Amino acid sequence: MTGFGKGLHKVEVALKWDPSPTGQAPTDLDIIAATFESGDAYGTPAYLVHFDSRSPDGTIFLNRDSTDGRGFGWDEVMTLEVDRLSERYTRVVVGVVIQQQPVRRTFGEVLNPAMRVREGYTVLSEDDFTSVRDATAATVAEFVRNEAGEWNFRPGVHGFDEDPDTFTHVMGRAHQS
C-alpha cells in the first residue's frame, strides 16, 4: 500500500446530553466500540472498548467520560486510530447505550442528546437520536477496512431496545436497509 490512500486515520466520536432536572436520577450515556476480526466481521466482537477499558494495542480509547451529562461541550469522547489497527481487524462498530439504573430511559427521555463523528476538522456525521427516540441503545458509526486496507465510514444511527450487556452482543449485527 502506498502513501496515497484516502482512507480514514484518526476518528473522534463525541456524545453530549443535558443533565437530568434537579431531583431526578442522573442520566448516564456511554460510548462503546466493538472491534471485529475478518473471520467474524458480523459475529462476536474480538474486544470492546468502553468507560472501563481501552483496546489492547491502545488504538481505541475513551478521552472523556461522564456519568451525568454535566460538563461543557461534549460529555464523552472516544478516539479511534483505525489506521493503526492490526490487519486482522476489518470492522469497528461504535454505539451509544443508556445506563438503565436507577430508572429505565429511552433517547426520547434524555434531554438534548447529540452525537458527532469527525476526522480532524471534518464532520462525517451528526445526529440528535430523534430517529431512535424509543430505543435504549443505538449504533452510530461503522468503520470498515476495504480490500486496499483503507478504512471507510458508514454513517447511520440504528436503534436497539437492549440493556447495556445485551447490546454489546448484538450491536455488530448487519442492519437491514
Side-chain angles (χ1 to χ4, degrees):
M1 182 159 64
T2 67
F4 295 103
K6 298 284 185 186
L8 298 172
H9 301 284
K10 186 176 182 179
V11 182
E12 176 188 274
V13 178
L15 177 64
K16 65 180 176 179
W17 67 98
D18 289 344
S20 299
T22 303
Q24 291 188 15
T27 304
D28 184 5
L29 280 66
D30 288 311
I31 299 175
I32 300 172
T35 306
F36 298 87
E37 296 183 45
S38 60
D40 197 15
Y42 290 87
T44 303
Y47 62 84
L48 299 170
V49 178
H50 48 79
F51 63 90
D52 201 23
S53 69
R54 64 182 300 145
S55 63
D57 58 6
T59 57
I60 302 173
F61 52 93
L62 198 62
N63 306 55
R64 189 175 307 149
D65 178 37
S66 174
T67 58
D68 57 15
R70 294 176 201 265
F72 298 105
W74 298 97
D75 297 306
E76 296 222 355
V77 179
M78 181 177 278
T79 299
L80 300 93
E81 295 181 34
V82 291
D83 63 329
R84 290 187 46 231
L85 280 169
S86 168
E87 290 182 10
R88 73 177 191 235
Y89 302 113
T90 58
R91 187 168 173 255
V92 178
V93 177
V94 180
V96 173
V97 65
I98 305 168
Q99 292 295 332
Q100 298 299 314
Q101 298 296 325
V103 288
R104 185 181 189 286
R105 286 199 174 100
T106 65
F107 285 106
E109 297 167 312
V110 175
L111 298 176
N112 300 313
M115 74 86 186
R116 176 187 69 200
V117 179
R118 71 179 185 170
E119 182 180 39
Y121 294 107
T122 303
V123 174
L124 304 173
S125 178
E126 291 180 310
D127 197 272
D128 64 2
F129 298 96
T130 301
S131 65
V132 295
R133 64 176 289 102
D134 295 329
T136 58
T139 56
V140 298
E142 180 179 6
F143 303 96
V144 180
R145 189 189 305 258
N146 66 20
E147 285 125 21
E150 299 169 344
W151 286 91
N152 297 298
F153 172 62
R154 292 182 183 162
V157 175
H158 304 280
F160 293 78
D161 188 20
E162 307 291 346
D163 64 75
D165 289 331
T166 304
F167 178 62
T168 63
H169 297 290
V170 300
M171 64 187 281
R173 292 184 182 161
H175 300 287
Q176 303 300 321
S177 298

PDB file of all heavy atoms in Angstrom, residues 78-110:
ATOM      1  N   MET A  78     -14.558   9.541  22.336  1.00  0.00           N
ATOM      2  CA  MET A  78     -13.747   8.349  22.075  1.00  0.00           C
ATOM      3  C   MET A  78     -12.910   8.596  20.820  1.00  0.00           C
ATOM      4  O   MET A  78     -13.423   9.092  19.822  1.00  0.00           O
ATOM      5  CB  MET A  78     -14.628   7.121  21.874  1.00  0.00           C
ATOM      6  CG  MET A  78     -13.835   5.839  21.614  1.00  0.00           C
ATOM      7  SD  MET A  78     -14.893   4.383  21.453  1.00  0.00           S
ATOM      8  CE  MET A  78     -15.152   3.996  23.195  1.00  0.00           C
ATOM      9  N   THR A  79     -11.641   8.241  20.894  1.00  0.00           N
ATOM     10  CA  THR A  79     -10.742   8.353  19.747  1.00  0.00           C
ATOM     11  C   THR A  79     -10.455   6.959  19.207  1.00  0.00           C
ATOM     12  O   THR A  79     -10.177   6.035  19.977  1.00  0.00           O
ATOM     13  CB  THR A  79      -9.424   9.044  20.147  1.00  0.00           C
ATOM     14  OG1 THR A  79      -9.734  10.356  20.619  1.00  0.00           O
ATOM     15  CG2 THR A  79      -8.463   9.130  18.979  1.00  0.00           C
ATOM     16  N   LEU A  80     -10.530   6.840  17.880  1.00  0.00           N
ATOM     17  CA  LEU A  80     -10.250   5.573  17.199  1.00  0.00           C
ATOM     18  C   LEU A  80      -9.158   5.816  16.166  1.00  0.00           C
ATOM     19  O   LEU A  80      -9.371   6.528  15.176  1.00  0.00           O
ATOM     20  CB  LEU A  80     -11.500   5.041  16.494  1.00  0.00           C
ATOM     21  CG  LEU A  80     -12.701   4.748  17.382  1.00  0.00           C
ATOM     22  CD1 LEU A  80     -13.632   5.941  17.457  1.00  0.00           C
ATOM     23  CD2 LEU A  80     -13.438   3.547  16.870  1.00  0.00           C
ATOM     24  N   GLU A  81      -7.987   5.275  16.409  1.00  0.00           N
ATOM     25  CA  GLU A  81      -6.890   5.373  15.448  1.00  0.00           C
ATOM     26  C   GLU A  81      -6.962   4.131  14.559  1.00  0.00           C
ATOM     27  O   GLU A  81      -6.175   3.196  14.704  1.00  0.00           O
ATOM     28  CB  GLU A  81      -5.561   5.488  16.181  1.00  0.00           C
ATOM     29  CG  GLU A  81      -5.452   6.773  16.981  1.00  0.00           C
ATOM     30  CD  GLU A  81      -4.125   6.914  17.705  1.00  0.00           C
ATOM     31  OE1 GLU A  81      -3.084   6.455  17.175  1.00  0.00           O
ATOM     32  OE2 GLU A  81      -4.135   7.481  18.807  1.00  0.00           O
ATOM     33  N   VAL A  82      -7.923   4.139  13.647  1.00  0.00           N
ATOM     34  CA  VAL A  82      -8.213   2.950  12.847  1.00  0.00           C
ATOM     35  C   VAL A  82      -7.045   2.560  11.947  1.00  0.00           C
ATOM     36  O   VAL A  82      -6.837   1.372  11.681  1.00  0.00           O
ATOM     37  CB  VAL A  82      -9.513   3.109  12.026  1.00  0.00           C
ATOM     38  CG1 VAL A  82     -10.727   3.121  12.942  1.00  0.00           C
ATOM     39  CG2 VAL A  82      -9.485   4.348  11.150  1.00  0.00           C
ATOM     40  N   ASP A  83      -6.280   3.514  11.483  1.00  0.00           N
ATOM     41  CA  ASP A  83      -5.149   3.190  10.602  1.00  0.00           C
ATOM     42  C   ASP A  83      -4.039   2.438  11.321  1.00  0.00           C
ATOM     43  O   ASP A  83      -3.177   1.839  10.682  1.00  0.00           O
ATOM     44  CB  ASP A  83      -4.598   4.447   9.938  1.00  0.00           C
ATOM     45  CG  ASP A  83      -4.021   5.449  10.917  1.00  0.00           C
ATOM     46  OD1 ASP A  83      -4.496   5.528  12.074  1.00  0.00           O
ATOM     47  OD2 ASP A  83      -3.086   6.176  10.519  1.00  0.00           O
ATOM     48  N   ARG A  84      -4.062   2.419  12.647  1.00  0.00           N
ATOM     49  CA  ARG A  84      -3.062   1.682  13.424  1.00  0.00           C
ATOM     50  C   ARG A  84      -3.540   0.300  13.857  1.00  0.00           C
ATOM     51  O   ARG A  84      -2.774  -0.471  14.433  1.00  0.00           O
ATOM     52  CB  ARG A  84      -2.676   2.489  14.669  1.00  0.00           C
ATOM     53  CG  ARG A  84      -1.875   3.736  14.347  1.00  0.00           C
ATOM     54  CD  ARG A  84      -1.359   4.451  15.605  1.00  0.00           C
ATOM     55  NE  ARG A  84      -0.779   3.517  16.556  1.00  0.00           N
ATOM     56  CZ  ARG A  84      -1.107   3.467  17.852  1.00  0.00           C
ATOM     57  NH1 ARG A  84      -2.014   4.272  18.352  1.00  0.00           N
ATOM     58  NH2 ARG A  84      -0.535   2.608  18.656  1.00  0.00           N
ATOM     59  N   LEU A  85      -4.823  -0.020  13.598  1.00  0.00           N
ATOM     60  CA  LEU A  85      -5.345  -1.335  13.985  1.00  0.00           C
ATOM     61  C   LEU A  85      -4.656  -2.445  13.196  1.00  0.00           C
ATOM     62  O   LEU A  85      -4.360  -2.282  12.008  1.00  0.00           O
ATOM     63  CB  LEU A  85      -6.851  -1.410  13.724  1.00  0.00           C
ATOM     64  CG  LEU A  85      -7.747  -0.760  14.765  1.00  0.00           C
ATOM     65  CD1 LEU A  85      -9.170  -0.660  14.248  1.00  0.00           C
ATOM     66  CD2 LEU A  85      -7.715  -1.540  16.056  1.00  0.00           C
ATOM     67  N   SER A  86      -4.443  -3.563  13.835  1.00  0.00           N
ATOM     68  CA  SER A  86      -3.862  -4.730  13.186  1.00  0.00           C
ATOM     69  C   SER A  86      -4.697  -5.116  11.967  1.00  0.00           C
ATOM     70  O   SER A  86      -5.917  -4.944  11.949  1.00  0.00           O
ATOM     71  CB  SER A  86      -3.837  -5.901  14.176  1.00  0.00           C
ATOM     72  OG  SER A  86      -3.543  -7.103  13.524  1.00  0.00           O
ATOM     73  N   GLU A  87      -4.056  -5.668  10.949  1.00  0.00           N
ATOM     74  CA  GLU A  87      -4.742  -6.070   9.714  1.00  0.00           C
ATOM     75  C   GLU A  87      -5.809  -7.129   9.949  1.00  0.00           C
ATOM     76  O   GLU A  87      -6.699  -7.297   9.126  1.00  0.00           O
ATOM     77  CB  GLU A  87      -3.725  -6.559   8.688  1.00  0.00           C
ATOM     78  CG  GLU A  87      -2.868  -5.452   8.144  1.00  0.00           C
ATOM     79  CD  GLU A  87      -1.891  -5.933   7.099  1.00  0.00           C
ATOM     80  OE1 GLU A  87      -1.998  -7.089   6.643  1.00  0.00           O
ATOM     81  OE2 GLU A  87      -1.006  -5.130   6.740  1.00  0.00           O
ATOM     82  N   ARG A  88      -5.743  -7.844  11.052  1.00  0.00           N
ATOM     83  CA  ARG A  88      -6.758  -8.873  11.301  1.00  0.00           C
ATOM     84  C   ARG A  88      -8.122  -8.271  11.631  1.00  0.00           C
ATOM     85  O   ARG A  88      -9.141  -8.940  11.553  1.00  0.00           O
ATOM     86  CB  ARG A  88      -6.312  -9.845  12.376  1.00  0.00           C
ATOM     87  CG  ARG A  88      -6.337  -9.295  13.776  1.00  0.00           C
ATOM     88  CD  ARG A  88      -5.929 -10.381  14.765  1.00  0.00           C
ATOM     89  NE  ARG A  88      -6.177  -9.965  16.101  1.00  0.00           N
ATOM     90  CZ  ARG A  88      -5.274  -9.951  17.054  1.00  0.00           C
ATOM     91  NH1 ARG A  88      -4.046 -10.366  16.796  1.00  0.00           N
ATOM     92  NH2 ARG A  88      -5.592  -9.565  18.256  1.00  0.00           N
ATOM     93  N   TYR A  89      -8.153  -6.985  12.015  1.00  0.00           N
ATOM     94  CA  TYR A  89      -9.419  -6.312  12.304  1.00  0.00           C
ATOM     95  C   TYR A  89      -9.933  -5.633  11.044  1.00  0.00           C
ATOM     96  O   TYR A  89      -9.213  -4.859  10.404  1.00  0.00           O
ATOM     97  CB  TYR A  89      -9.255  -5.281  13.429  1.00  0.00           C
ATOM     98  CG  TYR A  89      -8.739  -5.906  14.692  1.00  0.00           C
ATOM     99  CD1 TYR A  89      -7.481  -5.599  15.185  1.00  0.00           C
ATOM    100  CD2 TYR A  89      -9.502  -6.830  15.398  1.00  0.00           C
ATOM    101  CE1 TYR A  89      -6.999  -6.188  16.341  1.00  0.00           C
ATOM    102  CE2 TYR A  89      -9.032  -7.427  16.556  1.00  0.00           C
ATOM    103  CZ  TYR A  89      -7.783  -7.103  17.023  1.00  0.00           C
ATOM    104  OH  TYR A  89      -7.307  -7.686  18.164  1.00  0.00           O
ATOM    105  N   THR A  90     -11.191  -5.924  10.701  1.00  0.00           N
ATOM    106  CA  THR A  90     -11.745  -5.390   9.458  1.00  0.00           C
ATOM    107  C   THR A  90     -12.981  -4.521   9.667  1.00  0.00           C
ATOM    108  O   THR A  90     -13.485  -3.935   8.723  1.00  0.00           O
ATOM    109  CB  THR A  90     -12.114  -6.527   8.497  1.00  0.00           C
ATOM    110  OG1 THR A  90     -13.045  -7.393   9.149  1.00  0.00           O
ATOM    111  CG2 THR A  90     -10.891  -7.314   8.075  1.00  0.00           C
ATOM    112  N   ARG A  91     -13.454  -4.444  10.898  1.00  0.00           N
ATOM    113  CA  ARG A  91     -14.687  -3.695  11.151  1.00  0.00           C
ATOM    114  C   ARG A  91     -14.717  -3.223  12.597  1.00  0.00           C
ATOM    115  O   ARG A  91     -14.339  -3.963  13.504  1.00  0.00           O
ATOM    116  CB  ARG A  91     -15.876  -4.614  10.872  1.00  0.00           C
ATOM    117  CG  ARG A  91     -17.221  -3.958  10.935  1.00  0.00           C
ATOM    118  CD  ARG A  91     -18.282  -4.926  10.352  1.00  0.00           C
ATOM    119  NE  ARG A  91     -19.601  -4.394  10.558  1.00  0.00           N
ATOM    120  CZ  ARG A  91     -20.478  -4.833  11.462  1.00  0.00           C
ATOM    121  NH1 ARG A  91     -20.187  -5.864  12.225  1.00  0.00           N
ATOM    122  NH2 ARG A  91     -21.654  -4.271  11.582  1.00  0.00           N
ATOM    123  N   VAL A  92     -15.163  -1.978  12.781  1.00  0.00           N
ATOM    124  CA  VAL A  92     -15.365  -1.421  14.116  1.00  0.00           C
ATOM    125  C   VAL A  92     -16.738  -0.758  14.122  1.00  0.00           C
ATOM    126  O   VAL A  92     -17.049   0.050  13.246  1.00  0.00           O
ATOM    127  CB  VAL A  92     -14.284  -0.383  14.488  1.00  0.00           C
ATOM    128  CG1 VAL A  92     -14.556   0.200  15.866  1.00  0.00           C
ATOM    129  CG2 VAL A  92     -12.889  -0.982  14.425  1.00  0.00           C
ATOM    130  N   VAL A  93     -17.560  -1.118  15.093  1.00  0.00           N
ATOM    131  CA  VAL A  93     -18.888  -0.525  15.254  1.00  0.00           C
ATOM    132  C   VAL A  93     -18.890   0.250  16.565  1.00  0.00           C
ATOM    133  O   VAL A  93     -18.452  -0.254  17.595  1.00  0.00           O
ATOM    134  CB  VAL A  93     -19.987  -1.616  15.277  1.00  0.00           C
ATOM    135  CG1 VAL A  93     -21.354  -0.996  15.528  1.00  0.00           C
ATOM    136  CG2 VAL A  93     -19.986  -2.403  13.975  1.00  0.00           C
ATOM    137  N   VAL A  94     -19.388   1.490  16.488  1.00  0.00           N
ATOM    138  CA  VAL A  94     -19.465   2.335  17.683  1.00  0.00           C
ATOM    139  C   VAL A  94     -20.931   2.551  18.025  1.00  0.00           C
ATOM    140  O   VAL A  94     -21.743   2.853  17.150  1.00  0.00           O
ATOM    141  CB  VAL A  94     -18.760   3.689  17.466  1.00  0.00           C
ATOM    142  CG1 VAL A  94     -18.864   4.554  18.716  1.00  0.00           C
ATOM    143  CG2 VAL A  94     -17.299   3.476  17.083  1.00  0.00           C
ATOM    144  N   GLY A  95     -21.240   2.367  19.297  1.00  0.00           N
ATOM    145  CA  GLY A  95     -22.610   2.532  19.749  1.00  0.00           C
ATOM    146  C   GLY A  95     -22.696   3.410  20.976  1.00  0.00           C
ATOM    147  O   GLY A  95     -21.685   3.736  21.608  1.00  0.00           O
ATOM    148  N   VAL A  96     -23.928   3.779  21.283  1.00  0.00           N
ATOM    149  CA  VAL A  96     -24.225   4.563  22.481  1.00  0.00           C
ATOM    150  C   VAL A  96     -25.300   3.807  23.238  1.00  0.00           C
ATOM    151  O   VAL A  96     -26.300   3.374  22.659  1.00  0.00           O
ATOM    152  CB  VAL A  96     -24.733   5.974  22.120  1.00  0.00           C
ATOM    153  CG1 VAL A  96     -25.187   6.718  23.362  1.00  0.00           C
ATOM    154  CG2 VAL A  96     -23.654   6.737  21.370  1.00  0.00           C
ATOM    155  N   VAL A  97     -25.107   3.638  24.532  1.00  0.00           N
ATOM    156  CA  VAL A  97     -26.074   2.930  25.362  1.00  0.00           C
ATOM    157  C   VAL A  97     -26.440   3.810  26.555  1.00  0.00           C
ATOM    158  O   VAL A  97     -25.594   4.526  27.092  1.00  0.00           O
ATOM    159  CB  VAL A  97     -25.526   1.555  25.816  1.00  0.00           C
ATOM    160  CG1 VAL A  97     -24.328   1.708  26.725  1.00  0.00           C
ATOM    161  CG2 VAL A  97     -26.594   0.716  26.462  1.00  0.00           C
ATOM    162  N   ILE A  98     -27.712   3.771  26.926  1.00  0.00           N
ATOM    163  CA  ILE A  98     -28.176   4.495  28.103  1.00  0.00           C
ATOM    164  C   ILE A  98     -28.156   3.524  29.279  1.00  0.00           C
ATOM    165  O   ILE A  98     -28.798   2.467  29.213  1.00  0.00           O
ATOM    166  CB  ILE A  98     -29.612   5.034  27.910  1.00  0.00           C
ATOM    167  CG1 ILE A  98     -29.710   5.898  26.654  1.00  0.00           C
ATOM    168  CG2 ILE A  98     -30.068   5.802  29.154  1.00  0.00           C
ATOM    169  CD1 ILE A  98     -31.140   6.217  26.245  1.00  0.00           C
ATOM    170  N   GLN A  99     -27.429   3.868  30.323  1.00  0.00           N
ATOM    171  CA  GLN A  99     -27.454   3.025  31.516  1.00  0.00           C
ATOM    172  C   GLN A  99     -28.880   3.035  32.071  1.00  0.00           C
ATOM    173  O   GLN A  99     -29.514   4.078  32.125  1.00  0.00           O
ATOM    174  CB  GLN A  99     -26.458   3.542  32.556  1.00  0.00           C
ATOM    175  CG  GLN A  99     -25.018   3.396  32.130  1.00  0.00           C
ATOM    176  CD  GLN A  99     -24.586   1.952  31.991  1.00  0.00           C
ATOM    177  OE1 GLN A  99     -25.109   1.046  32.646  1.00  0.00           O
ATOM    178  NE2 GLN A  99     -23.601   1.708  31.131  1.00  0.00           N
ATOM    179  N   GLN A 100     -29.377   1.880  32.456  1.00  0.00           N
ATOM    180  CA  GLN A 100     -30.781   1.734  32.826  1.00  0.00           C
ATOM    181  C   GLN A 100     -31.012   1.690  34.336  1.00  0.00           C
ATOM    182  O   GLN A 100     -32.071   1.286  34.783  1.00  0.00           O
ATOM    183  CB  GLN A 100     -31.366   0.490  32.148  1.00  0.00           C
ATOM    184  CG  GLN A 100     -31.351   0.568  30.635  1.00  0.00           C
ATOM    185  CD  GLN A 100     -32.167   1.739  30.104  1.00  0.00           C
ATOM    186  OE1 GLN A 100     -33.286   1.985  30.538  1.00  0.00           O
ATOM    187  NE2 GLN A 100     -31.594   2.480  29.173  1.00  0.00           N
ATOM    188  N   GLN A 101     -30.048   2.105  35.110  1.00  0.00           N
ATOM    189  CA  GLN A 101     -30.199   2.165  36.561  1.00  0.00           C
ATOM    190  C   GLN A 101     -29.996   3.586  37.017  1.00  0.00           C
ATOM    191  O   GLN A 101     -29.097   4.247  36.506  1.00  0.00           O
ATOM    192  CB  GLN A 101     -29.195   1.239  37.245  1.00  0.00           C
ATOM    193  CG  GLN A 101     -29.363  -0.216  36.911  1.00  0.00           C
ATOM    194  CD  GLN A 101     -30.684  -0.771  37.386  1.00  0.00           C
ATOM    195  OE1 GLN A 101     -31.193  -0.389  38.429  1.00  0.00           O
ATOM    196  NE2 GLN A 101     -31.262  -1.670  36.621  1.00  0.00           N
ATOM    197  N   PRO A 102     -30.737   4.124  37.894  1.00  0.00           N
ATOM    198  CA  PRO A 102     -31.811   3.511  38.655  1.00  0.00           C
ATOM    199  C   PRO A 102     -33.167   3.527  37.932  1.00  0.00           C
ATOM    200  O   PRO A 102     -34.115   2.916  38.412  1.00  0.00           O
ATOM    201  CB  PRO A 102     -31.867   4.348  39.936  1.00  0.00           C
ATOM    202  CG  PRO A 102     -31.433   5.705  39.499  1.00  0.00           C
ATOM    203  CD  PRO A 102     -30.415   5.461  38.403  1.00  0.00           C
ATOM    204  N   VAL A 103     -33.282   4.245  36.805  1.00  0.00           N
ATOM    205  CA  VAL A 103     -34.551   4.264  36.065  1.00  0.00           C
ATOM    206  C   VAL A 103     -34.297   3.929  34.602  1.00  0.00           C
ATOM    207  O   VAL A 103     -33.226   4.189  34.063  1.00  0.00           O
ATOM    208  CB  VAL A 103     -35.261   5.643  36.152  1.00  0.00           C
ATOM    209  CG1 VAL A 103     -35.824   5.892  37.524  1.00  0.00           C
ATOM    210  CG2 VAL A 103     -34.334   6.763  35.734  1.00  0.00           C
ATOM    211  N   ARG A 104     -35.313   3.326  33.965  1.00  0.00           N
ATOM    212  CA  ARG A 104     -35.222   2.995  32.545  1.00  0.00           C
ATOM    213  C   ARG A 104     -35.497   4.252  31.730  1.00  0.00           C
ATOM    214  O   ARG A 104     -36.440   4.976  32.000  1.00  0.00           O
ATOM    215  CB  ARG A 104     -36.242   1.915  32.186  1.00  0.00           C
ATOM    216  CG  ARG A 104     -36.129   1.434  30.764  1.00  0.00           C
ATOM    217  CD  ARG A 104     -37.187   0.378  30.445  1.00  0.00           C
ATOM    218  NE  ARG A 104     -36.976  -0.241  29.165  1.00  0.00           N
ATOM    219  CZ  ARG A 104     -37.222   0.346  27.997  1.00  0.00           C
ATOM    220  NH1 ARG A 104     -37.668   1.585  27.949  1.00  0.00           N
ATOM    221  NH2 ARG A 104     -36.996  -0.295  26.862  1.00  0.00           N
ATOM    222  N   ARG A 105     -34.658   4.490  30.713  1.00  0.00           N
ATOM    223  CA  ARG A 105     -34.828   5.663  29.856  1.00  0.00           C
ATOM    224  C   ARG A 105     -34.588   5.283  28.402  1.00  0.00           C
ATOM    225  O   ARG A 105     -33.791   4.402  28.098  1.00  0.00           O
ATOM    226  CB  ARG A 105     -33.836   6.766  30.226  1.00  0.00           C
ATOM    227  CG  ARG A 105     -34.157   7.482  31.500  1.00  0.00           C
ATOM    228  CD  ARG A 105     -33.434   8.831  31.552  1.00  0.00           C
ATOM    229  NE  ARG A 105     -33.858   9.590  32.704  1.00  0.00           N
ATOM    230  CZ  ARG A 105     -33.167   9.682  33.833  1.00  0.00           C
ATOM    231  NH1 ARG A 105     -32.037   9.068  33.979  1.00  0.00           N
ATOM    232  NH2 ARG A 105     -33.634  10.407  34.829  1.00  0.00           N
ATOM    233  N   THR A 106     -35.264   6.003  27.521  1.00  0.00           N
ATOM    234  CA  THR A 106     -35.025   5.908  26.079  1.00  0.00           C
ATOM    235  C   THR A 106     -34.391   7.226  25.626  1.00  0.00           C
ATOM    236  O   THR A 106     -34.354   8.199  26.399  1.00  0.00           O
ATOM    237  CB  THR A 106     -36.343   5.679  25.313  1.00  0.00           C
ATOM    238  OG1 THR A 106     -37.174   6.838  25.490  1.00  0.00           O
ATOM    239  CG2 THR A 106     -37.057   4.425  25.792  1.00  0.00           C
ATOM    240  N   PHE A 107     -33.926   7.270  24.379  1.00  0.00           N
ATOM    241  CA  PHE A 107     -33.329   8.510  23.879  1.00  0.00           C
ATOM    242  C   PHE A 107     -34.333   9.661  23.900  1.00  0.00           C
ATOM    243  O   PHE A 107     -33.958  10.817  24.097  1.00  0.00           O
ATOM    244  CB  PHE A 107     -32.762   8.317  22.473  1.00  0.00           C
ATOM    245  CG  PHE A 107     -31.483   7.542  22.472  1.00  0.00           C
ATOM    246  CD1 PHE A 107     -31.449   6.228  22.046  1.00  0.00           C
ATOM    247  CD2 PHE A 107     -30.301   8.121  22.916  1.00  0.00           C
ATOM    248  CE1 PHE A 107     -30.266   5.498  22.048  1.00  0.00           C
ATOM    249  CE2 PHE A 107     -29.107   7.409  22.925  1.00  0.00           C
ATOM    250  CZ  PHE A 107     -29.099   6.092  22.494  1.00  0.00           C
ATOM    251  N   GLY A 108     -35.610   9.359  23.719  1.00  0.00           N
ATOM    252  CA  GLY A 108     -36.636  10.389  23.772  1.00  0.00           C
ATOM    253  C   GLY A 108     -36.792  11.009  25.151  1.00  0.00           C
ATOM    254  O   GLY A 108     -37.343  12.103  25.282  1.00  0.00           O
ATOM    255  N   GLU A 109     -36.312  10.319  26.178  1.00  0.00           N
ATOM    256  CA  GLU A 109     -36.402  10.819  27.555  1.00  0.00           C
ATOM    257  C   GLU A 109     -35.106  11.475  28.034  1.00  0.00           C
ATOM    258  O   GLU A 109     -35.032  11.968  29.149  1.00  0.00           O
ATOM    259  CB  GLU A 109     -36.782   9.675  28.490  1.00  0.00           C
ATOM    260  CG  GLU A 109     -38.158   9.102  28.171  1.00  0.00           C
ATOM    261  CD  GLU A 109     -38.423   7.780  28.854  1.00  0.00           C
ATOM    262  OE1 GLU A 109     -37.551   6.880  28.787  1.00  0.00           O
ATOM    263  OE2 GLU A 109     -39.494   7.662  29.461  1.00  0.00           O
ATOM    264  N   VAL A 110     -34.084  11.462  27.185  1.00  0.00           N
ATOM    265  CA  VAL A 110     -32.814  12.116  27.509  1.00  0.00           C
ATOM    266  C   VAL A 110     -32.902  13.553  26.999  1.00  0.00           C
ATOM    267  O   VAL A 110     -33.370  13.796  25.882  1.00  0.00           O
ATOM    268  CB  VAL A 110     -31.633  11.371  26.840  1.00  0.00           C
ATOM    269  CG1 VAL A 110     -30.327  12.117  27.061  1.00  0.00           C
ATOM    270  CG2 VAL A 110     -31.537   9.940  27.367  1.00  0.00           C
TER     271      VAL A 110
END
